[in-house]
Amino acid sequence: MVFGGRVKDPQTLEFTDLDKLDIVGMFPDYATAEEAWRAAAQKTVDDAEMKYVVVHLHRLLQPQD
């Protein structure tokens, strides 16, 4: 899953407004998610308070893996 939004501090993942997150989408594999992440992040490259991330959902569902 790839999403992003405005963060309070670029060093953290504390988003300022969860209602305004940009949900880029869910992807079948990391390579596809990374491609989407790069495209989304590139659009806001000049805004230090915008951050996009790739979330490994399988790690949330199966943390032992």
Side-chain angles (χ1 to χ4, degrees), residues 6-65:
R6 190 161 301 285
V7 291
K8 291 181 179 182
D9 177 350
Q11 302 280 332
T12 71
L13 287 175
E14 186 178 351
F15 292 94
T16 59
D17 189 348
L18 296 178
D19 291 330
K20 293 184 180 178
L21 286 180
D22 177 17
I23 308 297
V24 177
M26 298 183 68
F27 302 92
D29 54 49
Y30 182 79
T32 309
E34 182 181 24
E35 187 176 316
W37 166 80
R38 286 186 187 281
Q42 185 63 38
K43 291 178 187 175
T44 61
V45 71
D46 293 330
D47 186 347
E49 293 178 343
M50 287 295 289
K51 184 178 267 191
Y52 282 85
V53 294
V54 176
V55 177
H56 300 267
L57 293 179
H58 68 280
R59 291 185 184 165
L60 294 175
L61 299 173
Q62 300 171 335
Q64 69 279 9
D65 291 346

